[in-house]
Amino acid sequence: MGKHPFDITEILEIISEHLSQKDRISCLCVSKNFHSVFVSIIWRAVHLHSDGRKRSRPINPSGSALRRHKHLIQELIFEEICPLEYFALQGCRRLRILRVCVNDASLSASSPNAIEVQNRILRGVSSLIAAHTSTLQEICIKMSSSVSLAGPKELWYSLVGCTNLKTLDLGNFTVPEESLQVFLQICARSLSLKLTTMVIPGWFETDHNKDGGNSEDQDGVSRDDDGDDDDSSQLVFTAPRHLSLSSIRGFNNAILSPSSQARIIRMFPNLKSLYWYGDPKTAQWTQLWEVWALQDGDTIDFFQTLSQNPWALQRLESLDLPWTRMEDEDLARLLRQMSQLKALAAHGSRFGPLSLEELLLDNVILSGDRGQRVRCLSETMERLQLHGCKSVTGDMVQLLLTSCPNLRRFSAEKITVADIALGHQGHRGLGWVCYRMAELDIYLEEVDEDLVEGNAQSLRHHVYSQLAKLTRLRKLNLTYATKPPTGGAGWRTLDLRLKSGLKLLSGLKELTDLSFQHDDHQRMGMDEVVWMTKQWPALRSVAGRLTEDKKARRRVKAVLLAKEIHVSQ
């Protein structure tokens, strides 16, 4: 006789994914098999808080309970200021992930002894890491941003002792000069490195080996020294594949110039993904929509240094440079040197015709360390984020959607119904080819009926037919913009009624989120919302005003809520 389904561990694992922590605890009393499975699930990830008895949080387990189940713990998460006894835990042979987060709110109650409190926490964290150096693979430590804290010496030595460390995420730290070399060894061993609001005196300024030649030590740090005055005499970190730098400072807490940060990035030649954001305190603050953007001079220095020959990031697949106000020619120069780029986040940049040309160029020959190779970025691109780019026109958006077959996530503003239906320069538009699209964020502006002489419905139908091709779409935002439309008319996106073409989207079975916020012109009725609940079985959220009439809006909203679909407007 075969096993009962509830005796199969894999089935219970799937069931647990749909249960709250309270329900999982109740399952411990069902049977011996339930107990053995659910006790390992409950203790797999342990969240600890400063006050576990608040109603909104589960009660913290006692220190004895932690020690009793330590062999089951795979992930430890400390939020705010936790009792120090938790950090004395040892012997968690399965512990792979450690996260520590001390926010400003939790620290305010401890002022004016904030620095001492955080130092005690870090000493406890150091002991916990030192006791699990052979198992830890991912470590995240974020301290309060209100205090400039120098990590204790024992912290850096415990981190460098983690032989299997793959991911390191540090925030709001100062690396003491005497610990710099140990810190560099830690960076060299990590496959993924994220540094946010860090003060690292001497990282770039340190005078490393200048005896000439090329050497590599046991820590995976290569030194390329040919006597030049540029960054060739600096360390080269060969192991890291993912790097994120944000707000990096140097000696005397002085801002490390963008060009110096670009030189640091060039020390990581094997990167597959790069995220860089300059120091917010030096950024230009734009009041409208609260968007940070670096000054033009900073971006010029950064890109000139980063893109200088020889190109250092031959393996780069993902590039995130948010709100850096890149000039079109600078971004185009970067794209020209890439052959494997799959993801680009350039929101707030001046992405324009030159960058678009580089994306769409076919059969471009690039010379590199492995000979010549052909690349077409329009075929490799999977994620492209261009929102806040004022130079991006509707024609350009249409060209991208008709030229990038592997796009899975795309954001831009804006494109009109006419841009899609008529295409480039008024000719009949080409069909979209991005059939794998999962997230689409655009401001799709409704057609102006006065300008199309009664042809509005035909144009809408063409747009709906393009959207209908995106059968893998999970999230669709039709009013995605960083500022209101000009002219004072407000947002007005595609008419979402069945008679306008909504019924053509019956194939979007994976759609979970639909958004048309700020659009006050929709006139959806009971037929539309009932149709959505039937045709889109995965739908979980609708954001936007469904109709202008208040009474009708309450009725249609009730239909969605009855199906457990969240409605915000």
Side-chain angles (χ1 to χ4, degrees), residues 160-353:
V160 81
C162 294
T163 54
N164 294 309
L165 187 62
K166 296 179 180 179
T167 301
L168 180 63
D169 183 354
L170 298 177
N172 302 310
F173 272 105
T174 295
V175 179
E177 290 186 55
E178 60 271 17
S179 300
L180 178 61
Q181 295 302 323
V182 179
F183 170 77
L184 295 177
Q185 292 181 35
I186 299 168
C187 294
R189 291 182 177 181
S190 305
L191 295 179
S192 178
L193 183 63
K194 182 177 181 180
L195 304 175
T196 306
T197 317
M198 297 285 291
V199 181
I200 313 174
W203 184 355
F204 183 73
E205 297 88 347
T206 299
D207 187 13
H208 299 296
N209 182 1
K210 289 193 176 182
D211 295 332
N214 184 288
S215 62
E216 184 169 339
D217 59 27
Q218 66 273 21
D219 298 315
V221 184
S222 173
R223 295 177 176 84
D224 186 7
D225 308 307
D226 55 10
D228 293 344
D229 293 331
D230 60 9
D231 56 326
S232 61
S233 62
Q234 304 302 319
L235 293 178
V236 178
F237 302 91
T238 56
R241 296 297 185 267
H242 311 281
L243 177 64
S244 174
L245 295 180
S246 179
S247 187
I248 305 299
R249 294 174 172 249
F251 282 114
N252 301 319
N253 201 29
I255 300 160
L256 201 59
S257 69
S259 60
S260 294
Q261 294 188 49
R263 288 173 181 258
I264 290 175
I265 292 171
R266 289 174 62 86
M267 298 177 189
F268 296 80
N270 295 324
L271 287 181
K272 287 190 173 182
S273 70
L274 169 64
Y275 175 97
W276 179 76
Y277 182 55
D279 194 302
K281 295 179 181 178
T282 67
Q284 177 181 343
W285 176 247
T286 303
Q287 293 291 336
L288 187 61
W289 296 96
E290 300 182 346
V291 171
W292 287 110
L294 290 178
Q295 299 284 5
D296 291 344
D298 294 333
T299 60
I300 292 173
D301 292 343
F302 177 82
F303 288 109
Q304 285 183 347
T305 304
L306 184 63
S307 60
Q308 67 185 15
N309 290 322
W311 173 242
L313 309 179
Q314 297 283 354
R315 296 173 175 82
L316 199 63
E317 297 179 356
S318 176
L319 180 61
D320 286 68
L321 301 166
W323 307 111
T324 50
R325 296 182 67 179
M326 292 174 284
E327 293 293 340
D328 189 24
E329 52 267 33
D330 290 329
L331 182 55
R333 185 162 53 250
L334 280 179
L335 295 174
R336 192 173 301 128
Q337 301 184 78
M338 299 181 189
S339 62
Q340 304 178 48
L341 194 64
K342 297 179 180 179
L344 173 65
H347 36 283
S349 73
R350 288 161 180 163
F351 184 102

Side-chain angles (χ1 to χ4, degrees), residues 44-61:
R44 184 176 299 163
V46 178
H47 296 244
L48 301 169
H49 308 273
S50 60
D51 182 7
R53 298 190 179 276
K54 290 184 179 180
R55 290 185 179 181
S56 60
R57 299 172 179 167
I59 297 175
N60 283 338

Side-chain angles (χ1 to χ4, degrees), residues 328-432:
D328 189 24
E329 52 267 33
D330 290 329
L331 182 55
R333 185 162 53 250
L334 280 179
L335 295 174
R336 192 173 301 128
Q337 301 184 78
M338 299 181 189
S339 62
Q340 304 178 48
L341 194 64
K342 297 179 180 179
L344 173 65
H347 36 283
S349 73
R350 288 161 180 163
F351 184 102
L354 297 177
S355 300
L356 179 67
E357 182 181 2
E358 289 298 328
L359 280 180
L360 301 182
L361 277 178
D362 198 3
N363 298 326
V364 176
I365 306 298
L366 295 177
S367 59
D369 55 357
R370 297 184 179 180
Q372 292 186 332
R373 54 186 180 271
V374 178
R375 73 100 166 98
C376 181
L377 292 183
S378 63
E379 295 181 358
T380 64
M381 194 63 63
E382 298 178 3
R383 174 172 60 89
L384 185 57
Q385 294 171 276
L386 301 175
H387 53 278
C389 299
K390 298 179 180 180
S391 301
V392 175
T393 65
D395 274 353
M396 294 169 66
V397 173
Q398 173 69 0
L399 275 173
L400 289 168
L401 293 174
T402 57
S403 305
C404 301
N406 291 309
L407 268 183
R408 289 172 170 80
R409 183 179 176 186
F410 180 74
S411 65
E413 52 181 295
K414 68 177 177 178
I415 185 170
T416 67
V417 168
D419 290 330
I420 299 173
L422 300 179
H424 186 59
Q425 295 180 350
H427 300 292
R428 175 58 63 177
L430 299 174
W432 290 359

Side-chain angles (χ1 to χ4, degrees), residues 551-563:
K551 291 183 179 180
R553 189 160 63 243
R554 284 195 294 267
R555 290 195 297 268
V556 295
K557 181 178 179 180
V559 173
L560 295 173
L561 293 176
K563 296 293 185 178

